[in-house]
Amino acid sequence: MSTSPLEGGLRGVLTLLLVLFFTIASFAQNFTHQDTLRGSITPERAWWNLQHYDLSVSVNPDTKSIQGTNTVTYEVLEPNQLLQIDLQPPMKLEKAVQDGKDLTINSDGNAHFIQLQKKQEKGKKYDLTLHFSGTPRVAKRPPWDGGFTWRKDSNGKWFIATSNQGIGASIWWPNKDHPYDEPDNGVDLSITAPSNLVAVGNGRLIETKDNGDTKTWHWKVVNPINNYGVNINIGDYANFSETYDGLDGKLNMDYWVLQENLEEAKEQFKQAPMMMEAFEHWFGPYPFYEDSFKLVEVPYLGMEHQSSVTYGNRYMNGYLGSDLSGSGWGEKFDFIIIHESGHEWFANNITNKDVADMWLHEGFTAYSENLYLDYHYGKEASAAYVTGTRRNIQNDRPIIGTYGVSHEGSSDMYYKGANILHTLRQLIEDDEKWRQLLRGLNEEFRHQTVSSAQVEQYLSKESGIDLTEFWQQYLRTTKIPLLEYKVKGSELQFRYTNIVEGFDMPVQVTVDEIEEWIYPNAEWKSKSFGDTIEKVEIDPDFYIEHKEVK
């Protein structure tokens, strides 16, 4: 469609301003070329769809080194001859092989561009074998600043684990290191380790091969899996298990713990079936029956590796023995068992397409902690817990990050996220409907990568409430709505400040022991009561601030 010179000129100016804005924003955040290669769906990623990883890794504790291969099976969506694989130094991508031929690799930092020789035909599937080796980065503060953790247990035996959510799976193995694409047919993971140890991975154990001084443990995942969830755990493990009668049938629940902690684990892990019962009630069936459920002890706090939830909470309730809410209810459960297992639904079943939307993982899972309490201890306990966690909210920046550059939002994604959802539950005003919305999410987006926008739209549509400004207010700003109110005899006057345009969330108040809904917006409104108002209380389940003004 043609435009007038004036329209074209204005459009050009606007385009220039937008370019300048995003350029300044990028510099302000110190985003780099490598951030773009890591965080965007580059042309060299977009043309192929992951089908399967066949990952074999040999772990040498004495030299803290690894070597192995990863055979990537992919489907061609659009023909292309250049394919991006990610692997971070000091790990080395030794070679890439297709149909027995070594391929040319051109590296740009962590991204490696492989020139394919065979014509890539749309709709066809191909294999690419990647050979890698090196001394992987040692985790500085696992699981947040991740890599490999090399420790020894009290008996002097090696105790080793990987954790790499933030820094990326490519910290130790070559893969398509972007969350939007998961292998449709799962992963085969073969771990070779010293024969006096046990190696535990994701999914089910297929076979163990004795190589003499070493053993190879072959684990298999048949469901799609996010790449950061693929993990290696090696130690002097003992194993015990149970069968859970779940919504989708018999579920194998396996526990791998250090020999020295076996009896403690048998007692503490009684919370695992309690977790499963609560979360299947709220979220629907455990998403990975085919791959079983495991708790695996590790030498760090723990993480949500799919079907291989890692545990390091020292067999205590709370978060390393403390209650993050200050309400006392956090002492009723083992934080790592409950929180990290909650991620099986939110992070592993439903996965963000871009880490800017990491709140979908952490907000919903932080909220799962109080739903666990709700199921086992009641609604008042759960409300006290989740509102108590507000003390951890900083409102330093929005909980949605910057798209396309591997940039997460604020750590407020945990407990601000949980309180956003708790507030939404109040707006739904029907706990059974709320439960069906949460279950519906896990069914609608089962084994998929999604955006925050998709989840926002789903909850708006299915709740029947236009939540446009609600999401904008809470996810994309640091503003907490301030409800100002005045008492004038028998009249209550009220309005919101510190809000985005159009924000008009209703809220429950108690006026002289009578519960009422009021409908504030940016303008002063009023509601009359029969008698002179003596006391006004704002329902604490709504995540707002409030003050009386004269």
Side-chain angles (χ1 to χ4, degrees):
M1 183 173 66
S2 62
T3 61
S4 70
L6 178 59
E7 288 175 323
L10 287 172
R11 187 169 295 175
V13 170
L14 288 172
T15 300
L16 179 60
L17 288 173
L18 284 171
V19 169
L20 287 171
F21 172 80
F22 285 113
T23 300
I24 292 168
S26 293
F27 279 118
Q29 293 287 349
N30 295 315
F31 295 132
T32 66
H33 172 61
Q34 282 297 309
D35 291 330
T36 300
L37 288 178
R38 168 77 191 285
S40 64
I41 304 173
T42 62
E44 294 79 14
R45 284 172 168 159
W47 66 269
W48 55 285
N49 177 47
L50 265 173
Q51 295 292 303
H52 185 259
Y53 287 128
D54 190 346
L55 177 60
S56 297
V57 185
S58 293
V59 179
N60 188 332
D62 293 333
T63 59
K64 296 183 179 178
S65 64
I66 64 173
Q67 62 180 17
T69 62
N70 183 24
T71 297
V72 182
T73 302
Y74 62 92
E75 179 184 8
V76 177
L77 302 176
E78 293 294 338
N80 201 315
Q81 297 299 125
L82 197 62
L83 181 148
Q84 179 180 341
I85 288 292
D86 306 285
L87 184 65
Q88 301 177 39
M91 294 300 297
K92 295 179 180 179
L93 184 60
E94 304 286 0
K95 61 180 179 178
V97 180
Q98 190 167 68
D99 290 346
K101 297 179 181 179
D102 288 6
L103 305 177
T104 300
I105 304 172
N106 292 307
S107 299
D108 184 351
N110 300 336
H112 307 277
F113 297 95
I114 299 169
Q115 186 67 54
L116 303 169
Q117 296 180 15
K118 186 173 184 176
K119 184 179 179 180
Q120 306 290 296
E121 298 183 39
K122 184 175 181 178
K124 290 194 174 180
K125 296 178 182 178
Y126 300 92
D127 290 339
L128 175 68
T129 300
L130 309 167
H131 296 253
F132 63 99
S133 66
T135 304
R137 170 180 166 138
V138 174
K140 296 178 181 178
R141 185 173 169 259
W144 302 280
D145 192 351
F148 259 77
T149 299
W150 309 86
R151 293 190 189 162
K152 290 188 177 181
D153 64 21
S154 62
N155 297 314
K157 292 187 175 182
W158 280 105
F159 192 22
I160 304 164
T162 60
S163 57
N164 46 251
Q165 179 178 5
I167 201 166
S170 59
I171 197 70
W172 64 273
W173 62 287
N175 62 86
K176 189 178 194 177
D177 204 359
H178 191 287
Y180 88 99
D181 194 9
E182 298 179 353
D184 296 342
N185 301 312
V187 173
D188 280 83
L189 174 60
S190 297
I191 311 165
T192 300
S195 58
N196 66 330
L197 301 172
V198 176
V200 181
N202 309 78
R204 294 184 184 272
L205 181 62
I206 302 302
E207 65 175 348
T208 305
K209 181 181 178 183
D210 192 339
N211 312 308
D213 291 339
T214 64
K215 286 184 179 178
T216 301
W217 301 74
H218 177 192
W219 297 84
K220 187 176 184 66
V221 174
V222 299
N223 287 296
I225 181 172
N226 52 53
N227 58 4
Y228 80 79
V230 176
N231 71 335
I232 288 176
N233 309 286
I234 299 171
D236 184 23
Y237 285 124
N239 171 238
F240 63 103
S241 62
E242 61 185 315
T243 301
Y244 179 78
D245 289 322
L247 294 181
D248 277 358
K250 304 289 186 183
L251 174 63
N252 299 115
M253 300 182 70
D254 272 318
Y255 311 110
W256 297 82
V257 300
L258 291 183
Q259 297 276 359
E260 62 200 64
N261 296 326
L262 180 58
E263 294 309 313
E264 278 186 290
K266 285 181 177 179
E267 183 61 32
Q268 191 73 357
F269 287 4
K270 288 177 180 178
Q271 294 184 43
M274 294 175 64
M275 169 279 299
M276 195 63 67
E277 182 180 353
F279 289 167
E280 285 207 329
H281 169 82
W282 283 108
F283 304 142
Y286 172 69
F288 309 108
Y289 271 72
E290 303 87 348
D291 295 321
S292 77
F293 172 85
K294 289 192 296 299
L295 285 176
V296 186
E297 186 175 359
V298 289
Y300 62 91
L301 185 59
M303 222 182 92
E304 69 264 23
H305 306 100
Q306 184 173 312
S307 72
S308 179
V309 173
T310 51
Y311 176 86
N313 202 40
R314 303 176 189 169
Y315 302 99
M316 297 187 292
N317 279 358
Y319 181 99
L320 292 174
S322 66
D323 174 12
L324 293 174
S325 75
S327 69
W329 289 107
E331 299 169 3
K332 297 293 185 181
F333 63 93
D334 187 311
F335 177 90
I336 292 299
I337 293 175
I338 304 310
H339 179 90
E340 303 304 345
S341 297
H343 275 306
E344 293 282 42
W345 285 263
F346 293 98
N348 298 338
N349 186 40
I350 302 174
T351 307
N352 55 224
K353 283 183 178 176
D354 188 300
V355 298
D357 289 335
M358 186 65 74
W359 91 274
L360 296 176
H361 296 200
E362 302 300 353
F364 278 88
T365 304
Y367 182 63
S368 78
E369 298 161 24
N370 81 285
L371 289 182
Y372 173 86
L373 286 168
D374 190 301
Y375 185 85
H376 288 291
Y377 297 96
K379 195 170 181 177
E380 288 186 9
S382 69
Y385 178 82
V386 70
T387 57
T389 62
R390 289 177 190 169
R391 65 182 189 163
N392 302 311
I393 299 173
Q394 302 175 65
N395 276 312
D396 53 346
R397 55 192 178 92
I399 65 175
I400 287 184
T402 307
Y403 293 99
V405 287
S406 192
H407 177 254
E408 297 178 9
S410 168
S411 61
D412 284 347
M413 69 179 77
Y414 288 81
Y415 294 116
K416 184 175 180 181
N419 276 280
I420 292 169
L421 295 172
H422 184 62
T423 300
L424 182 54
R425 179 181 182 177
Q426 314 313 310
L427 297 178
I428 300 297
E429 212 179 356
D430 181 337
D431 285 347
E432 181 55 30
K433 183 176 181 179
W434 180 234
R435 183 169 81 101
Q436 293 306 323
L437 286 172
L438 296 173
R439 291 165 72 98
L441 275 175
N442 278 280
E443 184 176 350
E444 178 77 11
F445 301 119
R446 177 179 170 84
H447 295 175
Q448 294 181 39
T449 61
V450 301
S451 66
S452 181
Q454 285 176 274
V455 171
E456 294 166 41
Q457 290 161 13
Y458 177 89
L459 289 172
S460 290
K461 178 184 175 183
E462 297 302 321
S463 69
I465 304 171
D466 183 353
L467 296 168
T468 304
E469 287 78 24
F470 177 88
W471 297 125
Q472 182 68 18
Q473 176 83 29
Y474 284 116
L475 297 179
R476 296 175 177 87
T477 81
T478 59
K479 297 178 179 180
I480 304 305
L482 175 62
L483 178 65
E484 296 183 338
Y485 66 92
K486 303 176 183 177
V487 175
K488 300 292 185 181
S490 63
E491 185 178 77
L492 179 67
Q493 299 177 353
F494 48 86
R495 71 172 181 181
Y496 278 131
T497 61
N498 203 37
I499 54 172
V500 300
E501 185 176 354
F503 184 86
D504 59 355
M505 182 180 74
V507 62
Q508 278 195 315
V509 299
T510 301
V511 177
D512 294 337
E513 300 185 358
I514 299 173
E515 285 189 359
E516 294 280 354
W517 281 95
I518 59 173
Y519 299 85
N521 57 26
E523 305 298 325
W524 282 105
K525 299 172 73 174
S526 64
K527 186 178 180 71
S528 294
F529 294 82
D531 300 314
T532 300
I533 296 171
E534 300 293 338
K535 185 178 182 182
V536 177
E537 295 175 289
I538 312 301
D539 189 336
D541 289 325
F542 290 79
Y543 182 42
I544 61 173
E545 295 175 339
H546 58 86
K547 72 174 181 179
E548 183 176 4
V549 295
K550 302 299 183 181

